[in-house]
Amino acid sequence: MECCQDENLRNCNCSYPGCERKGKCCECVTYHKKRGELPACFFSESAEKTYDRSISKFIADN
Ligand code: SF4
C-alpha cells in the first residue's frame, strides 16, 4: 500500500516544528498512542498550538 503523505499533509493541522512524522499518520498515531495521547488533528487550532496532546486536554478542548 502506497503512503498518501502528500495528501495527508494537506489535511494536517500540526504546527509542531521539525517532526519527521508529519503526514505519516500511521507513525503519528502510533507515537502518540504509546504515550497515552492523541494526534494534533483531534484538537482545535488553539489547543493544538499548546502541544499538549493528552486525553485530559482533548476533553477540556471539547
Ligand atoms: S501530532 Fe505529534 S507525531 Fe503527529 S506530526 Fe504532530 S508532533 Fe508529529
Side-chain angles (χ1 to χ4, degrees):
M1 187 174 167
E2 211 169 290
C3 181
C4 313
Q5 187 174 11
D6 290 343
E7 189 180 339
N8 291 342
L9 279 172
R10 283 195 285 277
N11 298 314
C12 180
N13 69 339
C14 184
S15 63
Y16 191 80
C19 179
E20 73 278 3
R21 288 174 285 274
K22 231 171 256 190
K24 298 178 192 168
C25 300
C26 51
E27 292 183 15
C28 176
V29 168
T30 300
Y31 173 79
H32 284 291
K33 185 175 179 229
K34 273 187 191 157
R35 300 163 57 100
E37 300 174 343
L38 294 164
C41 53
F42 279 70
F43 296 90
S44 65
E45 193 181 341
S46 58
E48 184 283 317
K49 286 181 174 34
T50 68
Y51 304 142
D52 180 351
R53 310 287 192 231
S54 65
I55 305 281
S56 56
K57 181 69 175 181
F58 171 75
I59 292 168
D61 190 36
N62 284 278

